[in-house]
Amino acid sequence: MVSGRAPEIWIGEDGEALAREGVKRLVDSARRAIAARGRFVVALAGGNTPRRLYQLLSHIDSIDWTRVHVCFSDERMVALDSPDSNYRMARETLLSLVPVPPSQVHPVPTDLSVDEAALRYDQVLRQVLPQTEPRLDLALLGMGSDGHTASIFPGSRLLAGVDDDFLLDDPETGPLRSDVPTPSLDSFGSERLCAPVYDAPKPPLQRVTMTPYVLNLARQVIVLVAGDDKVAAVSAALESDARVAEIPIRAIAPVTGELVWLLDRKAGRALGSPMR
Ligand code: 6PG
């Protein structure tokens, strides 16, 4: 796992408890960010797990929503009104129900090609992130049963160099870096914040994802995992020394930020941690 602080692991009874805890942490994160820097830049997770969290969050009026900037940790390359769109899920459960200024909601431009969309979203993030210290305040992430997160799947080129034996020599691009340095703002200008995905094993095939680099610079990362089907991946992620190439979420370890895993009892079953 990339160097970083040990994660906090919270286990709740069920999906509802998980959602409530996620709301509590997000509200706290927002308050701290707005008090300290006048804005809260959050990357929302896709998939189904965050749905209930977003629904509960839509009733929260203690956040100054006019100070909130919303982006997406990944997006499927589908129309923004497609049932598969992460943006549509967030819009229906949250964004259409709270007074966040539309100009501060940044969907991935899925009407472009996947390469153009990744390049454009990289530019968008560079405009949204504070110039002084371009870091996400909070990145919400889910995890698939194969240990993927955002749209960083097992074997992804974005993971090359993190394990000491997983390198990719691509005739087109030449050898990728053999040792990924600890993420630092020093290289912000030359790093990729987003990347295209052409061959996701979880349909749809084409996606845009935030990279481990930008996620690991976040002030806080909250991973939301629920359900029996995630037990093995949770154990592999938190209690094994599996290669990052096999369990991509093991590449997510904020360098100075806080990493929090919020699990329901089913997903955390094999960890044996005390119930909350
Ligand atoms: C996506 C998500 C993906 C998701 C996990 C978990 O676009 O599919 O970003 O990373 O978070 O696959 O999905 P569920 O929450 O639906 O189990």
Side-chain angles (χ1 to χ4, degrees), residues 103-250:
S103 63
Q104 294 174 198
V105 176
H106 308 283
V108 174
T110 59
D111 54 335
L112 302 175
S113 74
V114 64
D115 290 308
E116 291 164 339
L119 282 172
R120 178 72 59 79
Y121 209 55
D122 194 294
Q123 293 163 352
V124 166
L125 284 181
R126 291 177 192 279
Q127 290 159 8
V128 172
L129 292 171
Q131 301 306 309
T132 50
E133 193 178 8
R135 301 169 66 191
L136 290 167
D137 291 303
L138 172 61
L140 285 182
L141 294 173
M143 183 187 72
S145 55
D146 61 355
H148 80 259
T149 190
S151 286
I152 309 168
F153 292 92
S156 165
R157 294 167 57 82
L158 297 173
L159 302 169
V162 183
D163 299 305
D164 54 10
D165 64 347
F166 175 55
L167 302 179
L168 272 173
D169 279 334
D170 182 320
E172 290 168 25
T173 61
L176 294 178
R177 285 179 301 199
S178 59
D179 59 333
V180 173
T182 300
S184 156
L185 286 175
D186 294 346
S187 58
F188 187 75
S190 59
E191 292 286 349
R192 280 189 304 181
L193 309 186
C194 296
V197 175
Y198 307 104
D199 53 357
K202 173 183 178 184
L205 278 173
Q206 292 198 338
R207 294 153 171 259
V208 167
T209 186
M210 283 187 181
T211 59
Y213 171 79
V214 72
L215 294 170
N216 281 331
L217 282 177
R219 289 189 171 82
Q220 184 182 35
V221 174
I222 295 179
V223 183
L224 297 161
V225 188
D228 274 321
D229 62 324
K230 307 289 176 74
V231 171
V234 165
S235 296
L238 293 173
E239 293 187 326
S240 85
D241 58 357
R243 294 165 64 244
V244 158
E246 292 158 24
I247 304 287
I249 200 159
R250 286 173 53 77

Side-chain angles (χ1 to χ4, degrees), residues 40-45 54 57 65 67-73 87 90-91 94-95 98 100-108 121 124-125 128 136 138 210:
F40 175 55
V41 184
V42 57
L44 295 182
Y54 298 162
L57 188 61
W65 288 101
R67 300 297 189 109
V68 176
H69 293 253
V70 177
C71 46
F72 293 82
S73 50
Y87 166 76
R91 180 169 48 79
L94 173 63
L95 301 175
V98 293
V100 58
S103 63
Q104 294 174 198
V105 176
H106 308 283
V108 174
Y121 209 55
V124 166
L125 284 181
V128 172
L136 290 167
L138 172 61
M210 283 187 181

